Amino acid sequence: MSQQAAPLISVVVPCYNEEGSIGTLYQRLRETLQRYDVQGTEIVLVDDGSNDNTWQSISALCNKDKDVIGLRLSRNFGHQVALTCGIENCRGQRVLIIDADLQDPPELLHDMMTKMDAGYDVVYGHRIERKGESFFKRASAWAFYRFLNKLSEVPIPKDVGDFRLMSRRTVDALKQMPERVRFTRGMVSWLGFRQVALDYIRSPRFAGKSHYSVHAMLKLATAGLTSFSTQPLRFALWLGIGLTFISGVILFGILLDWLLTGRDDMFVAMIGFFLLFQGIQWIILGIIGSYIGIILRETKIRPLYLLDDHLNKK
Ligand code: UDP
Ligand code: MG
């Protein structure tokens, strides 16, 4: 394939200590990609600072197959950054993002291509079953996706990872989002365009073990929540308004009691004032939170909008 022509398909794979999977992954990808070979394909393997033989395997593949692109990060930057590196360095008109451990079947590409031919920009894999994963992982993921969906400003599909086929224009749009805290699956939802789910059963890992520790999962979940919702910041405001309201009812009751019966219950009055001051403080925190929310939005420097179409462009 010539240097200039963009291949039809790029497959982007973040790899961290995946020496046991890379060989089989390559074989299955090559078999899957065969039918598109005439239009050009490339496999972009990003080594995210592995400390096993992942890079040796990638270099060997690059030597034997010129359409394998090997990228090696200087250290372990994490899944989302490795993924971003792959996306920035691929050229395909369509880009498939897939994990190295074969939990996502490469063969699903065919169905994804068919859906994209029908006019979709993003075809994302929707896990209807997760095999070989612990109860804790499945339960926490289940709860997280539902919670995130409730809070998020854009609908982020539930039970969906980064396994997806994206059109060139969505990849280019994604590249315009320079945020450092990255939650790719949410960012792609934010882009809009036409997106559709493809159901699949997630297999157990082919080799090795998951690199997502509880800590890494929490980090990703926090990235998802804080990048796509400012609702938690507003919580303080609602709490403050609630407390102030309760204190208002108590103080009004005390005042009425005093006016009608001449009784003054100082203890209850003190509770009322205490709640009032607490309420005011929470409201002020909520106001500060709203400003922080705006700062958060501004610092992401996301494009203000993306165009789907532009007719009669001059
Ligand atoms: N990965 C990565 N850097 C990391 C951790 C993971 O590039 O720091 C890659 C990993 O090799 C795999 C994908 O990201 O291709 C998903 O990771 P993993 O399978 O460990 O996550 P899980 O499927 O358990 O959520
Ligand atoms: Mg995995």
Side-chain angles (χ1 to χ4, degrees):
M1 207 186 67
S2 82
Q3 210 49 35
Q4 287 78 28
L8 174 66
I9 300 174
S10 296
V11 182
V12 169
V13 196
C15 311
Y16 178 59
N17 292 347
E18 300 284 6
E19 61 181 4
S21 306
I22 294 231
T24 313
L25 169 81
Y26 172 76
Q27 269 166 12
R28 278 180 61 183
L29 278 177
R30 265 279 154 257
E31 263 162 45
T32 312
L33 289 172
Q34 219 169 18
R35 70 170 80 159
Y36 312 102
D37 273 350
V38 222
Q39 294 125 300
T41 60
E42 67 178 6
I43 301 174
V44 181
L45 302 172
V46 185
D47 178 6
D48 185 15
S50 299
N51 41 37
D52 65 355
N53 286 318
T54 297
W55 182 244
Q56 283 77 350
S57 311
I58 293 177
S59 340
L61 288 173
C62 289
N63 275 335
K64 92 170 187 208
D65 182 343
K66 289 296 158 227
D67 292 327
V68 176
I69 319 289
L71 295 150
R72 188 186 198 182
L73 299 184
S74 60
R75 64 169 171 85
N76 179 241
F77 280 90
H79 174 208
Q80 294 290 308
V81 176
L83 187 59
T84 309
C85 168
I87 285 172
E88 284 177 355
N89 286 284
C90 71
R91 301 179 305 134
Q93 294 158 39
R94 293 180 180 186
V95 178
L96 176 74
I97 301 172
I98 193 167
D99 283 355
D101 57 9
L102 292 165
Q103 283 199 274
D104 314 319
E107 297 74 19
L108 228 62
L109 172 68
H110 302 312
D111 293 341
M112 291 182 163
M113 288 293 279
T114 310
K115 285 220 190 256
M116 197 166 277
D117 289 340
Y120 288 102
D121 281 282
V122 177
V123 187
Y124 54 82
H126 172 241
R127 306 156 174 174
I128 48 170
E129 200 185 320
R130 301 169 71 125
K131 289 190 172 161
E133 290 182 313
S134 67
F135 172 75
F136 173 73
K137 177 127 188 169
R138 280 180 290 132
S140 56
W142 186 90
F144 167 68
Y145 285 120
R146 270 141 199 89
F147 186 57
L148 178 65
N149 202 269
K150 278 264 168 302
L151 290 187
S152 165
E153 282 140 28
V154 287
I156 298 177
K158 305 177 191 98
D159 308 319
V160 170
D162 291 320
F163 179 40
R164 57 190 59 218
L165 183 68
M166 299 174 67
S167 65
R168 176 42 60 184
R169 67 170 181 167
T170 41
V171 172
D172 286 341
L174 188 63
K175 281 162 67 180
Q176 285 185 54
M177 298 174 84
E179 55 207 78
R180 310 189 70 79
V181 176
R182 299 181 78 82
F183 184 67
T184 310
R185 57 204 78 164
M187 292 161 68
V188 176
S189 299
W190 183 91
L191 293 177
F193 299 116
R194 277 167 291 273
Q195 312 208 2
V196 69
L198 186 68
D199 289 348
Y200 78 108
I201 296 175
R202 194 158 207 236
S203 320
R205 253 184 170 272
F206 180 74
K209 58 177 179 52
S210 167
H211 305 294
Y212 265 97
S213 56
V214 174
H215 177 250
M217 267 166 22
L218 277 175
K219 209 172 133 189
L220 187 71
T222 315
L225 283 175
T226 52
S227 313
F228 288 92
S229 175
T230 47
Q231 300 246 30
L233 287 171
R234 247 169 276 154
F235 172 73
L237 194 61
W238 289 114
L239 183 66
I241 291 171
L243 288 178
T244 311
F245 178 75
I246 296 170
S247 78
V249 171
I250 292 175
L251 291 175
F252 183 69
I254 293 279
L255 184 69
L256 217 58
D257 199 25
W258 179 66
L259 287 175
L260 296 179
T261 67
R263 245 189 337 224
D264 54 350
D265 191 335
M266 283 319 278
F267 181 68
V268 180
M270 267 168 65
I271 292 179
F273 279 114
F274 174 75
L275 288 179
L276 179 67
F277 292 131
Q278 282 290 316
I280 292 172
Q281 284 187 32
W282 280 109
I283 288 175
I284 292 171
L285 278 176
I287 293 172
I288 295 174
S290 312
Y291 281 95
I292 294 177
I294 292 170
I295 295 171
L296 190 72
R297 253 173 228 268
E298 295 291 349
T299 49
K300 284 204 204 93
I301 333 181
R302 286 182 188 174
L304 198 54
Y305 58 85
L306 295 159
L307 275 182
D308 183 12
D309 239 324
H310 188 160
L311 299 177
N312 286 344
K313 188 176 174 190
K314 294 285 183 314

